[in-house]
Amino acid sequence: MSTNAIDQQDTKPENDAEVHASIHDETIGHGNTPAAWTCVLIMIAGALVSSIGFVIASMLVFIAGLVVMALGLVVGWIMRKAGYGVGGSKLKNNGH
């Protein structure tokens, strides 16, 4: 067995701040894009409509809310394909 100084180095972070920084140092793209925000806002509106329909016992209003939520998914997908999603062409910095 060799006793190399590099093999025996302790590579653990010294404090909790370093641990926290090492966990959150990479960009993973949690959807901070116009496509994601639009999708979520439409779906929240649909959930609100559906909730109101549930409370007032109206199947028509409840189903309408579900349709609005499905529409939100479709709009988000279309916007992503149009370049407004993570890594989309419409969001790239053009140097100006």
Side-chain angles (χ1 to χ4, degrees):
M1 284 188 127
S2 70
T3 56
N4 192 349
I6 295 174
D7 291 337
Q8 294 178 356
Q9 268 185 335
D10 188 12
T11 59
K12 293 182 181 177
E14 294 182 15
N15 58 31
D16 288 337
E18 287 182 21
V19 171
H20 184 73
S22 69
I23 291 172
H24 300 286
D25 64 347
E26 59 185 62
T27 303
I28 55 177
H30 277 296
N32 292 326
T33 63
W37 280 100
T38 303
C39 175
V40 168
L41 289 175
I42 292 172
M43 291 180 73
I44 287 173
L48 177 65
V49 170
S50 192
S51 298
I52 291 170
F54 183 80
V55 170
I56 65 173
S58 172
M59 185 64 85
L60 181 64
V61 176
F62 180 77
I63 299 292
L66 294 178
V67 169
V68 170
M69 288 194 297
L71 181 67
L73 283 175
V74 171
V75 169
W77 182 78
I78 290 170
M79 287 184 70
R80 188 183 81 196
K81 292 296 182 184
Y84 291 100
V86 173
S89 62
K90 305 287 182 172
L91 301 179
K92 300 223 187 279
N93 188 359
N94 61 6
H96 292 285

